[in-house]
Amino acid sequence: MATEQTQDLIIVPCGIHGEMNMTYRWGAGDFLSKAFEELRDNGKIYANECPQCGRYHLPPRKVCGRCHVEMDGFDKWVQVGPRGTVLVYTVTLAPFLDPETGKPRHVPYCVATIQLDGAPCALEHFLKETNPENLKVGMRVEAVLKPEAQRKGDLGDIIHFKTVQE
Amino acid sequence: MGRRVAIVGIGQTLHKKRHIDRNHTELINEAARKALQDAEITIEDVDAVLNGNMDLFEGHNLMDAMTVEGSGAYMKPGLKMNTGGTTGGTMVASGWYHVASGKYDVVLIIGSEKLEESGGNTTSAIITCADPLTLRPYHTGAVGALAIVAASYMNQYRCGEEPGAIVRVKAAGNALKNPYSHLKLTLTVDDVLDSAILIWPLRLLHMCPQSSGACAIVLASEEKAKKMTKKPVWITDFVTSHMEAWRATFAPDPIPSMQSQTDSAIKLFKRNGITNPMKQVDMFEMYDPAAWAEIAWLEDFLICEKGEAWKLAEKGVTALDGAFPVNPSGGVQSTNPIGATAMIRVAEAALQIRGDAGGHQVTKNVNSALASSFGGANWTNLFLLKKNLD
Ligand SMILES: [Zn+2]
């Protein structure tokens, strides 16, 4: 990249445009791995309960941040969803960059905090609906999963939550 | 509790979109030099130098080492800190630890950011704070988080869009009176309501800018402070609270209540006998990265009752000449060099207590002030500053 000359002062640009090899390998740990496997292989969403404060964690966590106690294993987990209720939502109209790809995200998209049926806990995820006229707090939604063969074992196996009439 | 610690010197650069005539080291130097000048000392009198900056934004690593000639840290001890939005507050806290412990008498703390060098993509850098496996794909940095604050508040109290605009207009008016502030905008409520939506319901004019600038503070022990200045400002107390970044997953926990803000307020007020903060403290320089944050967080900080904060700006309570001024500087809504932003809150609160704020000095007499920092995946620092020792 060329140096820029502005008002007699030099600015030196730096950085890599296009392909950039910044790769990481994040470990999910045993609890989150189990949760992601259940989602990928069985299409099931689980939460777990803190034995001390009774708070539910979604996805399941091994330690409760509030109590600092270890949580129970898979046999105590509770299946939640696939339906739930929207607690709060936002609609993004500005094309911010997606840090996972470095490319602008397609807009509009809607992110919501969704309380899933089955336990008092919520998940942040996308809504299919993006028209503010059709969105409201309290609306009922349902998880739409990728076809089984395309699932990878991460939260992206849920494509989004679609509006349902009940 | 440790030794008592005072703010004895304050320096800021102008905060603006670009500081094209100086590099980062030189920018730091200007703030450091002004703070030393304000304290009427030289770098020889300083025992330790601490730096704060957001490494990912300018793509520097170990910027404290890179900028030694600017900061004055040559052959002195010090630390570099990056705790996100709270960086400047973390530095005030850390400076306090250095002096209160008895290890050092005079400490220089410097927060800086040159966001013009970031390529305009701080949102991506901020998103990397979110857990990559469960939250990152759904986050849009600070803008997304603040949109949730706004959406939740509006939904809860059915107050409509106007309160956010009124608060933004107040901030803009205050910033026009503050020579150091970045955005100098003459705004009307309609200007704010007509500005583009970034993430509904958060509009462009609700959000803080991306600024370049630096702020420095000299902290001193009681013994030194009393010799150095007639106007020490005492760091009476402060609380730092962290909360889980997973907050959203714990429904039905209250959303958007920021528990770290409430927790810090409960602890700080209890320790200092504060039962009615708007009566017992004179003002608040709050870390307000968006107009709606000032509203929602006044409640989270227990300054007023739930559902009341949106009426305060309209009634003039939080204005420069109000009963409880909030962000007389124009706040983060007007000026946001991120590594310095939280320190500016403390610096501005201290200037108000000294009576040295100039054009944006509040009308009432200021003997005590709150200053807060927020950010870094849900942390709060809350400071109580006073003119006199208790
Ligand atoms: Zn617990």
Side-chain angles (χ1 to χ4, degrees):
Chain A
M1 272 174 276
T3 308
E4 298 166 25
Q5 188 96 28
T6 312
Q7 291 172 9
D8 300 327
L9 296 160
I10 287 172
I11 294 169
V12 183
C14 176
I16 304 157
H17 289 284
E19 290 301 312
M20 193 162 177
N21 189 13
M22 275 178 67
T23 56
Y24 301 91
R25 292 162 54 77
W26 292 306
D30 52 359
F31 271 49
L32 210 47
S33 293
K34 178 65 181 166
F36 287 163
E37 276 169 23
E38 286 293 327
L39 180 61
R40 180 191 64 198
D41 301 339
N42 304 317
K44 291 179 176 173
I45 306 168
Y46 282 93
N48 67 344
E49 183 186 8
C50 170
Q52 188 159 311
C53 69
R55 211 166 46 134
Y56 282 85
H57 293 54
L58 174 61
R61 308 287 289 160
K62 197 166 186 171
V63 179
C64 174
R66 201 164 291 177
C67 310
H68 214 246
V69 299
E70 284 198 39
M71 310 267 275
D72 295 326
F74 180 65
D75 57 329
K76 298 268 183 68
W77 291 9
V78 185
Q79 197 184 334
V80 294
R83 289 197 173 187
T85 304
V86 171
L87 296 178
V88 64
Y89 63 89
T90 61
V91 184
T92 301
L93 302 181
F96 294 102
L97 296 190
D98 181 345
E100 303 208 307
T101 63
K103 300 201 166 69
R105 278 178 166 154
H106 292 287
V107 290
Y109 63 90
C110 181
V111 173
T113 301
I114 303 150
Q115 179 161 352
L116 294 184
D117 296 350
C121 53
L123 186 68
E124 273 189 18
H125 216 293
F126 299 116
L127 295 189
K128 183 176 186 219
E129 181 63 63
T130 59
N131 181 349
E133 308 221 327
N134 300 332
L135 288 164
K136 69 172 195 289
V137 169
M139 67 192 280
R140 295 283 293 161
V141 292
E142 182 179 313
V144 178
L145 300 187
K146 283 180 182 167
E148 211 170 328
Q150 291 172 25
R151 292 182 205 155
K152 296 191 299 187
D154 61 30
L155 270 187
D157 289 346
I158 303 171
I159 302 169
H160 50 228
F161 284 74
K162 67 176 183 189
T163 310
V164 289
Q165 306 299 334
E166 289 178 349
Chain B
M1 203 29 204
R3 297 200 296 174
R4 294 195 274 207
V5 180
I7 293 167
V8 296
I10 296 166
Q12 291 182 65
T13 65
L14 295 183
H15 305 293
K16 48 190 197 173
K17 192 173 171 68
R18 291 189 187 83
H19 277 286
I20 201 168
D21 59 336
R22 68 203 73 180
N23 64 31
H24 204 132
T25 305
E26 295 158 355
L27 187 74
I28 284 172
N29 186 247
E30 185 190 328
R33 209 169 270 283
K34 283 180 166 168
L36 295 172
Q37 205 169 29
D38 186 51
E40 297 182 30
I41 58 171
T42 70
I43 195 70
E44 304 292 320
D45 303 307
V46 172
D47 301 323
V49 178
L50 317 180
N51 277 102
N53 168 255
M54 301 281 284
D55 331 62
L56 265 179
F57 288 174
E58 291 93 348
H60 298 319
N61 197 11
L62 301 177
M63 64 83 66
D64 56 326
M66 193 184 87
T67 58
V68 161
E69 73 267 33
S71 67
Y74 182 70
M75 293 300 137
K76 293 187 195 294
L79 298 168
K80 195 220 69 183
M81 275 153 271
N82 173 4
T83 61
T86 51
T87 295
T90 303
M91 295 181 66
V92 175
S94 182
W96 187 93
Y97 302 140
H98 277 71
V99 177
S101 68
K103 182 76 174 163
Y104 305 104
D105 287 326
V106 180
V107 172
L108 172 64
I109 58 177
I110 312 165
S112 65
E113 207 71 64
K114 215 155 179 277
L115 275 175
E116 75 210 65
E117 297 180 352
S118 75
N121 191 25
T122 52
T123 291
S124 292
I126 291 171
I127 297 171
T128 59
C129 298
D131 184 299
L133 298 175
T134 54
L135 291 172
R136 198 178 290 185
Y138 315 104
H139 272 218
T140 317
V143 191
L146 292 162
I148 291 173
V149 170
S152 304
Y153 193 92
M154 287 168 62
N155 182 61
Q156 200 163 357
Y157 299 115
R158 307 276 166 205
C159 57
E161 276 209 70
E162 210 161 76
I166 292 171
V167 164
R168 185 65 189 89
V169 169
K170 168 181 78 80
N174 292 352
L176 282 171
K177 296 175 176 156
N178 175 1
Y180 294 102
S181 72
H182 171 183
L183 294 183
K184 307 279 195 197
L185 303 173
T186 306
L187 290 181
T188 66
V189 166
D190 285 341
D191 290 337
V192 181
L193 295 179
D194 290 343
S195 67
I197 292 175
L198 296 173
I199 302 179
W200 185 91
L202 209 64
R203 295 172 184 275
L204 180 65
L205 280 173
H206 287 139
M207 271 306 289
C208 56
Q210 299 192 349
S211 315
S212 290
C215 179
I217 290 177
V218 181
L219 299 172
S221 62
E222 181 178 358
E223 194 191 335
K224 288 269 183 182
K226 285 178 171 167
K227 284 184 196 146
M228 287 163 77
T229 176
K230 289 195 180 65
K231 292 194 214 174
V233 173
W234 300 98
I235 300 176
T236 305
D237 198 2
F238 65 90
V239 173
T240 299
S241 292
H242 294 176
M243 66 193 225
E244 303 145 295
W246 301 82
R247 176 180 66 89
T249 69
F250 297 123
D253 269 6
I255 300 170
S257 178
M258 290 292 183
Q259 289 152 1
S260 61
Q261 320 265 46
T262 305
D263 180 71
S264 62
I266 289 171
K267 288 173 180 160
L268 188 84
F269 294 169
K270 183 159 186 238
R271 289 210 295 246
N272 293 278
I274 296 170
T275 49
N276 185 343
M278 284 177 83
K279 287 256 155 45
Q280 291 171 270
V281 185
D282 292 316
M283 56 157 284
F284 193 176
E285 189 64 40
M286 186 209 285
Y287 194 100
D288 60 328
W292 283 101
E294 178 177 312
I295 296 171
W297 294 353
L298 276 174
E299 295 178 13
D300 290 346
F301 278 119
L302 309 174
I303 301 297
C304 63
E305 298 292 321
K306 295 275 176 200
E308 292 297 314
W310 65 272
K311 303 165 189 164
L312 293 179
E314 193 176 7
K315 289 180 185 161
V317 175
T318 52
L320 282 188
D321 59 355
F324 188 77
V326 176
N327 296 332
S329 66
V332 186
Q333 292 173 58
S334 306
T335 303
N336 189 27
I338 300 181
T341 301
M343 196 188 295
I344 297 170
R345 310 281 65 76
V346 175
E348 284 288 343
L351 287 172
Q352 292 284 350
I353 288 173
R354 277 170 36 172
D356 289 341
H360 60 291
Q361 181 71 39
V362 303
T363 308
K364 70 188 285 194
N365 208 16
V366 183
N367 289 308
S368 60
L370 293 167
S372 71
S373 7
F374 183 74
N378 302 343
W379 297 25
T380 299
N381 302 117
L382 183 62
F383 296 88
L384 176 63
L385 309 182
K386 286 191 181 175
K387 183 182 273 178
N388 299 310
L389 282 171
D390 287 330

